[in-house]
Amino acid sequence: MLPPVERSDTGFNPDFDAPNGHAPAGSVPVSPVEAPAAPVALRATETTQPPQDAPDPQRQQKVHDVLYSDIGVNTLLNRLKASIASARDFAGFLKRRGAIEEDQAAGLKKLSRLTLENVQKAEARHESYQRQFEQVIHTNERIAENGTQFGLALHAMHENLTHLANKMDTSRKQLKHEGLSAEKKVQDAEALVHKAKAKYDSLAEDLDRVKTGDTGAGRKFGLKGPKSATQHEEDLQRKLQAADQDYQSKVQTAQAYRKELVATTRPQSVTTLLEQIKEIDAALTMEMQKYASFNEKLVVNNGQVVSPQPLKGSTAQVPPSINQVVFKINNDKDFDDYILKHASKIPSVPIELQYIKHPTLSQNKAQPYAPPAAVPNMSMNANTDRRSSLQMQPSQPTSSFSSPAPPEKGPPQQQYQGSQAPEVVQQPSFPTYNSGYQQQQPPPPQPYQQPGPSYPGASYSPVNQNQYPPQQDFPRGPAGQVAAQQSSGVSYNSSSPPINPVFGLTLDELFRRDGSPVPMVVYQCIQAVDVFGLEVEGIYRIPGTTSHIQAMKALFDRDGSTVDFRNPEAFKHDVNSVAGLLKQFFRELADPLLTQEYYTQFIEAARIDDDTTRRDSMHALINALPDPNYATLRALMLHLHRVQQNSEINRMSTANLGICWAPSVMGPHKGANMADAGLQARVVMTILDNVLQIFDED
């Protein structure tokens, strides 16, 4: 294991409230970039920067004139809008960068965990290589942890900046309504003034022309005919007086509105907008400074992990770097240690091989041409040897042997008790010794039976008889079947009809009867595979045990509520049989999961080459399915998506799952459907590739 590095060397402290990057009191020590020496360096840097120029009075006056002019409020609203947009852009960048860091850290952790498991396997190389490589892996885990903390810090910054931008946007809308309303009120009043003045000027000019006798002024016609010059002049005089009064009143109103705008409303709007612009700009700058600081910390912390450096004034021993750890691998010593581990397996005394003839054949082979009178002596010797072998195993039953008959008297006789031959221990192959014998049994001796046919090559020995205990006999009939099921631990289907059938019905019938859109057998099987089968290689491809599948099918057909696959004992620890049971349920549906009604439309959608168009077409068809079919398809596809996410371990990619499941959800590959086998698989693969867009995973 890599010796632990002091927290002051590698700690990652994304604290937003700590001033100057320092952690608050009572927290763990900070990283080298936050060490006490850092503020000194920062002050030195600050002293080397040139001082900022003093504000130019003329420039500030021009800015003030623009802000408090008629375009000031609108200009500030546009500037605040730009600041909000910039804050949101940087917040989006932080979110994506944080997600990238978290994904990379998660991938590095997973890789480190899998590599560590492989290194610790028995077939892997051990010794110093294992020890040093484990330190390298733990170093990568610490780098991944730094990346995770960095991603979390960026995510928090994104949340803060997004919240501030939304708050500023809401305030901007309110200020826009209030500020622009006051400006528009003044503008409308001044427009009425201009309109009243134009009317007043026109009437004054007409009156002047009438007084000077200008005939161009024209005569006005009344109800009783044309008006005289005097009447026309009096009429214009009245109108002019009314226009003059209206003009004066509108000017006074406009002046009052503008005075109120300039004195109260506009300064308030300008001040509020300036404060919000400065606030969001300062917040954006602060978050960017945090981002820069966290990047520096991440690089320094990772550098301390890869190659630790001592702090100034510290006397603590520095852990080795990755390069030093790898350098400690000793290949020669590892090789010698591995070989020496097997030294104890060397035989102490070599066994000298000798040719030893079987006792029953030694005399026969030694005297192939012996006279008939010598045969009984050989038989006695053979029997003596056989009995001595029996005495070595006192647990075997006692047997008596008769003298072997001459070869010309016929083949040997072998008697077997029961209908099964006794178990025979594998022995070296020897020539068959023709001997007749009758085994003694505890009951009275059985009558002599005629010699049966000989079995060439059978090395039967009474010593091997009754090596295994006899099998238990069960009574015949239903009672015997139940006893056998209880003894074997597996329940098999009885001949009685199902009490509450599940297989062979339609999903709509199951929904009307049980009230659950997803059948219980589907729920139980998915739950079992999720818990025990996601990392089983070839799940849904390798078939299960037929007897187990039929037994579990019978359980669900009798009463599915009593089945609980959360306990692996319920399916005999055979998760492949559970997977086979789930596929069999869908194969035996009276109407397939994707229904016969929409079969042709799914096949036509699978022929579309464009991925987006094909996905949208299938999405529409899935939404049109009956409710039980939709709910069951959703549960199944989200489950298969989880299986596919572990494809590096279980070797079940999207293509493999599509090939395995296409006949189960769309119908068997036979008849007219045989030509559609590839398109059926494409239907399932398209749904799996877009499962999170088609269904909501909640």
Side-chain angles (χ1 to χ4, degrees):
M1 296 293 292
L2 190 65
V5 181
E6 294 295 331
R7 185 64 178 172
S8 59
D9 294 343
T10 61
F12 189 81
N13 181 38
D15 188 4
F16 297 103
D17 299 327
N20 296 329
H22 293 289
S27 63
V28 296
V30 295
S31 62
V33 297
E34 299 173 314
V40 178
L42 182 60
R43 287 195 295 271
T45 305
E46 290 176 351
T47 56
T48 58
Q49 294 178 353
Q52 296 182 355
D53 296 335
D56 185 4
Q58 295 181 356
R59 181 183 178 88
Q60 295 299 319
Q61 183 61 37
K62 291 180 181 180
V63 172
H64 181 272
D65 294 342
V66 174
L67 292 179
Y68 290 91
S69 65
D70 292 344
I71 64 172
V73 174
N74 195 30
T75 303
L76 289 175
L77 288 172
N78 292 333
R79 178 63 173 78
L80 180 58
K81 183 178 180 180
S83 297
I84 294 173
S86 300
R88 285 176 172 165
D89 290 341
F90 187 65
F93 166 77
L94 293 176
K95 181 180 180 180
R96 290 188 291 271
R97 174 67 190 279
I100 292 174
E101 291 292 337
E102 290 178 356
D103 292 342
Q104 181 180 0
L108 185 55
K109 287 181 180 178
K110 183 177 180 181
L111 175 62
S112 300
R113 184 178 66 255
L114 294 177
T115 306
L116 188 61
E117 292 176 356
N118 293 333
V119 169
Q120 294 175 349
K121 289 182 178 179
E123 61 270 17
R125 178 182 169 185
H126 294 178
E127 295 84 31
S128 67
Y129 166 80
Q130 179 184 2
R131 294 191 299 271
Q132 305 307 117
F133 192 28
E134 285 179 354
Q135 296 186 34
V136 175
I137 294 173
H138 290 307
T139 301
N140 282 272
E141 290 177 345
R142 296 170 64 186
I143 293 175
E145 183 62 27
N146 288 342
T148 300
Q149 296 298 326
F150 179 66
L152 293 176
L154 296 186
H155 182 71
M157 294 167 59
H158 155 74
E159 294 292 338
N160 295 340
L161 205 53
T162 302
H163 176 72
L164 179 61
N166 293 336
K167 177 182 176 182
M168 290 296 175
D169 191 27
T170 303
S171 179
R172 176 186 174 276
K173 292 178 180 178
Q174 182 179 359
L175 290 174
K176 180 180 180 181
H177 174 73
E178 296 175 356
L180 294 184
S181 295
E183 297 283 348
K184 190 175 185 305
K185 181 179 179 180
V186 174
Q187 293 174 2
D188 292 343
E190 291 179 348
L192 292 176
V193 169
H194 292 304
K195 186 177 180 180
K197 184 177 183 303
K199 183 178 181 181
Y200 171 74
D201 291 342
S202 177
L203 291 174
E205 290 175 0
D206 290 345
L207 181 61
D208 182 64
R209 283 195 296 268
V210 170
K211 288 182 178 181
T212 57
D214 187 2
T215 58
R219 297 283 183 91
K220 298 296 182 180
F221 291 89
L223 295 176
K224 298 181 180 181
K227 295 181 180 180
S228 62
T230 303
Q231 292 175 342
H232 190 198
E233 181 179 354
E234 292 176 353
D235 187 34
L236 288 176
Q237 188 70 32
R238 288 192 303 270
K239 292 181 179 180
L240 181 61
Q241 291 178 357
D244 180 62
Q245 293 177 357
D246 182 63
Y247 175 44
Q248 288 181 359
S249 64
K250 284 184 170 53
V251 168
Q252 293 174 357
T253 302
Q255 289 176 349
Y257 286 168
R258 177 164 287 278
K259 182 178 179 180
E260 180 184 3
L261 175 66
V262 173
T264 305
T265 309
R266 181 179 291 171
Q268 291 178 353
S269 300
V270 170
T271 302
T272 306
L273 287 172
L274 282 174
E275 291 177 353
Q276 293 192 356
I277 291 173
K278 291 179 180 179
E279 180 181 357
I280 192 169
D281 288 348
L284 178 59
T285 303
M286 182 182 67
E287 297 298 334
M288 296 182 71
Q289 290 174 350
K290 287 182 180 180
Y291 174 73
S293 176
F294 291 161
N295 273 281
E296 294 174 359
K297 294 175 185 178
L298 178 65
V299 174
V300 171
N301 290 340
N302 289 340
Q304 282 292 102
V305 173
V306 174
S307 180
Q309 300 295 324
L311 293 177
K312 294 182 179 179
S314 176
T315 59
Q317 184 179 2
V318 179
S321 64
I322 292 183
N323 190 14
Q324 294 171 343
V325 169
V326 175
F327 186 75
K328 293 181 180 179
I329 299 177
N330 191 335
N331 293 329
D332 295 336
K333 185 176 181 300
D334 288 355
F335 177 79
D336 295 342
D337 291 343
Y338 178 80
I339 298 301
L340 292 177
K341 286 181 181 178
H342 298 77
S344 60
K345 299 179 182 180
I346 301 176
S348 57
V349 178
I351 300 176
E352 182 179 357
L353 298 179
Q354 297 180 357
Y355 175 73
I356 302 176
K357 193 169 294 187
H358 194 273
T360 59
L361 301 178
S362 59
Q363 297 297 331
N364 189 19
K365 293 296 182 179
Q367 300 178 8
Y369 301 104
V375 174
N377 294 332
M378 289 189 294
S379 300
M380 293 177 63
N381 294 334
N383 290 337
T384 304
D385 295 335
R386 298 288 286 272
R387 292 191 197 95
S388 62
S389 64
L390 288 175
Q391 293 174 359
M392 297 174 63
Q393 299 186 14
S395 61
Q396 300 296 333
T398 306
S399 301
S400 60
F401 302 91
S402 61
S403 299
E408 64 273 6
K409 289 188 178 181
Q413 175 185 352
Q414 294 182 355
Q415 295 182 355
Y416 299 92
Q417 179 180 359
S419 60
Q420 296 182 353
E423 297 289 343
V424 179
V425 178
Q426 185 176 0
Q427 300 288 350
S429 177
F430 296 104
T432 303
Y433 177 71
N434 295 329
S435 63
Y437 59 87
Q438 182 176 4
Q439 182 179 357
Q440 293 182 353
Q441 299 293 340
Q446 298 179 357
Y448 175 81
Q449 298 181 1
Q450 295 294 331
S454 62
Y455 298 91
S459 57
Y460 176 81
S461 173
V463 179
N464 298 328
Q465 193 172 2
N466 296 330
Q467 181 182 0
Y468 300 100
Q471 296 182 353
Q472 182 180 358
D473 293 330
F474 299 99
R476 299 182 180 273
Q481 184 180 12
V482 172
Q485 292 174 359
Q486 294 176 352
S487 174
S488 60
V490 179
S491 298
Y492 296 93
N493 190 11
S494 62
S495 59
S496 60
I499 300 175
N500 199 24
V502 174
F503 289 73
L505 304 179
T506 64
L507 292 176
D508 188 64
E509 291 173 346
L510 292 174
F511 176 65
R512 288 198 304 269
R513 187 191 68 188
D514 301 333
S516 175
V518 180
M520 180 58 66
V521 60
V522 176
Y523 174 78
Q524 290 283 358
C525 292
I526 287 178
Q527 180 178 235
V529 177
D530 278 345
V531 176
F532 304 100
L534 290 182
E535 296 185 354
V536 174
E537 183 173 354
I539 189 70
Y540 290 119
R541 176 173 55 83
I542 298 177
T545 306
T546 304
S547 60
H548 289 179
I549 295 175
Q550 296 304 318
M552 291 185 289
K553 175 183 176 183
L555 289 177
F556 280 101
D557 276 338
R558 283 198 296 272
D559 186 4
S561 62
T562 62
V563 182
D564 187 3
F565 279 173
R566 291 175 297 180
N567 181 8
E569 293 290 339
F571 51 87
K572 307 303 176 187
H573 298 273
D574 186 4
V575 72
N576 283 322
S577 295
V578 177
L581 178 69
L582 182 60
K583 293 173 64 178
Q584 182 172 343
F585 170 78
F586 285 106
R587 284 197 306 270
E588 293 183 5
L589 284 175
D591 189 16
L593 180 59
L594 297 183
T595 71
Q596 297 177 356
E597 178 183 357
Y598 293 102
Y599 177 86
T600 304
Q601 300 180 42
F602 274 107
I603 294 300
E604 292 301 324
R607 300 182 190 273
I608 301 175
D609 293 330
D610 183 72
D611 295 338
T612 304
T613 306
R614 184 171 67 254
R615 179 200 65 191
D616 294 341
S617 300
M618 292 190 184
H619 193 177
L621 293 174
I622 290 172
N623 289 337
L625 291 173
D627 291 345
N629 296 64
Y630 179 89
T632 306
L633 179 65
R634 177 182 179 278
L636 176 64
M637 290 303 164
L638 289 176
H639 164 66
L640 295 181
H641 176 68
R642 294 190 290 272
V643 174
Q644 185 271 334
Q645 287 180 322
N646 292 271
S647 59
E648 294 183 358
I649 301 175
N650 57 37
R651 307 299 182 188
M652 292 303 293
S653 61
T654 302
N656 291 340
L657 290 172
I659 295 173
C660 292
W661 273 96
S664 299
V665 300
M666 297 198 68
H669 295 163
K670 62 181 180 179
N673 297 349
M674 181 62 70
D676 300 336
L679 296 174
Q680 287 183 0
R682 195 176 190 186
V683 170
V684 179
M685 287 188 287
T686 302
I687 299 175
L688 283 177
D689 287 336
N690 303 277
V691 64
L692 298 182
Q693 287 78 25
I694 297 176
F695 305 104
D696 294 330
E697 186 177 15
D698 52 11

